[in-house]
Amino acid sequence: MRIIQRRIELKALEGQGWKMLYGRRKTGKTFLVQNFLDYDEFFFVGRDGVVYDRTNGGTMTSAEFINLFPRFLKRGRVVVDEFHRLPSRFLDVLHAYSGRGELILVTSTLWLSRRVLLSKESPLLGIVTPVRVGLIDEREILVELSRELGGRELVEASAYLREPLLIQPYRPSLREFLTDYLFSAGLMIRELIGETFTEEVKELTAVYEVIMKGIADGKRTSTELSSLLYSRGLIEKDNPGVLQRYLLILTDMGILRKLPVTGKRRRKFSYQHSSPLLDLHFYLEEKYAYTELETPREFIARAVNEKVPKAVEGFVESLLSKVYGLRPVRIEKPKLELDIALQGFNRLELVGEVKWKKRVKREEVRRLEDRLGKFKCRRVLIVPSEDVLEKKPEDIEVLTPEELLELARESLKNMERK
């Protein structure tokens, strides 16, 4: 059984006080609490409002649980999983007993994280410390999987196994595994995402879904997404400003990444899926409606081979940003696109390209030298192996899976020393 410790999230949960874990479903919130934290009482709230006592066994109604809650707080650390399913008066009870005992709240809903964490009127504002649990950190998954994998497979698998639900069923090779998984379990992924929006009205859910399909299909700005939604009759006007609340919620939950675009006078952002699995899923939905229509396995395999190198680009960019403490940005200049651009306080610190293929020809390396040579900062090239290069680039640092792994290990050690 593969177990990823998730030391980064555990560090955020250290210390006393009330905590609230939030994030998209199936990111390992409950597993993290059950297996790595000490607690005295663990309660799970079902969709019907029945409260299950996971520590002592038995069930109780919502009303019974709320009445007994003050007593539970006196017994030690209490966990309430999916607490948003309790009646709204539970929030008032939490406010009334704030500061007493130790409490961990867990939720997976978009609407509640927005209302409870970000609203000025929230009864929990300043009472709980929010801890977002998203995908597994790039450094942790890379180091953990290196115990059984190496080279190209290590990086490709790490990019996708940041998604906790893939960790146990995965078997090499990653591309064949993904093809089989999506071919048989695509509907499950669709339902997984649907559960995240169960508290939203259907019209809003349709907007969210089209946004995620559009981003997977390469529409990365609010302008492009607004045009898409307008063309499908989901918004009344083609106005990017209308989308901001949807994009904000999706980024707050960690479903999307929001990257600033440099080279533009007005403030502009580019969006992408945090999860390569969801990016692949929504791409297949947009192209083939693969969970509703019979789709040949070969179509899915073709999409997997197309998307994996892109997933590696995003994985390496995020990995290097965390290793060096830099912010990913997008460069928008005529005839100049870069796979990786990392910015310090006010200038670019690192630029790079990812060539995730079996052969990088001499001419391609020269073009790469010209393109990266325009930037007066650190320049890197990421390849699956130095053997794929017909020519070693000049003034460009070549990073292979082995170097990336070493960077991840050192970064985690530095973090633990702090």
Side-chain angles (χ1 to χ4, degrees), residues 358-386:
K358 295 180 179 179
R359 181 64 53 191
V360 183
K361 296 182 179 180
R362 188 178 301 271
E363 296 77 12
E364 192 171 1
V365 174
R366 289 199 182 99
R367 289 194 297 271
L368 182 70
E369 291 171 337
D370 292 339
R371 188 158 60 251
L372 295 185
K374 293 179 170 59
F375 299 91
K376 304 302 179 184
C377 61
R378 185 176 178 183
R379 300 178 287 270
V380 299
L381 169 64
I382 295 87
V383 291
S385 168
E386 289 194 16

Side-chain angles (χ1 to χ4, degrees), residues 174-188:
L174 184 277
R175 298 190 187 208
E176 292 183 4
F177 165 74
L178 281 178
T179 301
D180 291 337
Y181 187 86
L182 289 163
F183 185 69
S184 61
L187 192 58
M188 185 193 75

Side-chain angles (χ1 to χ4, degrees), residues 256-268:
L256 297 182
R257 295 177 67 207
K258 178 181 179 181
L259 305 177
V261 177
T262 65
K264 288 287 182 182
R265 290 184 179 180
R266 66 182 181 86
R267 195 167 179 82
K268 185 177 178 181

Side-chain angles (χ1 to χ4, degrees), residues 321-346:
S321 76
K322 292 174 181 177
V323 166
Y324 297 118
L326 300 172
R327 183 174 71 170
V329 297
R330 285 288 167 265
I331 295 177
E332 193 169 289
K333 293 183 179 180
K335 299 180 180 179
L336 180 59
E337 291 185 9
L338 295 180
D339 298 335
I340 298 172
L342 302 180
Q343 192 175 58
F345 180 67
N346 58 5

Side-chain angles (χ1 to χ4, degrees), residues 6 38 48 81 123 135-136 145 216 255 284 308 376 388 402 416:
R6 307 198 70 162
D38 294 325
D48 55 0
D81 194 359
L135 304 184
I136 298 170
L145 289 183
I255 293 175
L284 286 165
V308 166
K376 304 302 179 184
V388 306
E402 291 71 29
E416 291 172 355

Side-chain angles (χ1 to χ4, degrees), residues 8-68:
I8 294 170
E9 283 89 351
L10 288 173
K11 191 174 182 66
L13 290 168
E14 290 178 354
Q16 296 182 339
W18 288 12
K19 308 290 194 307
M20 177 171 150
L21 276 66
Y22 74 103
R24 204 208 73 216
R25 293 190 64 81
K26 299 299 181 182
T27 51
K29 298 181 294 297
T30 301
F31 184 86
L32 182 71
V33 174
Q34 285 184 317
N35 292 276
F36 297 106
L37 295 180
D38 294 325
Y39 56 84
D40 300 284
E41 303 279 353
F42 192 112
F43 299 98
F44 175 82
V45 185
R47 290 189 182 87
D48 55 0
V50 173
V51 180
Y52 297 82
D53 186 338
R54 298 289 296 272
T55 306
N56 304 302
T59 62
M60 64 189 86
T61 66
S62 296
E64 289 170 336
F65 173 77
I66 293 173
N67 290 335
L68 292 171

Side-chain angles (χ1 to χ4, degrees), residues 384-395:
S385 168
E386 289 194 16
D387 294 340
V388 306
L389 296 169
E390 289 187 356
K391 172 187 179 299
K392 189 171 182 179
E394 296 181 9
D395 299 320

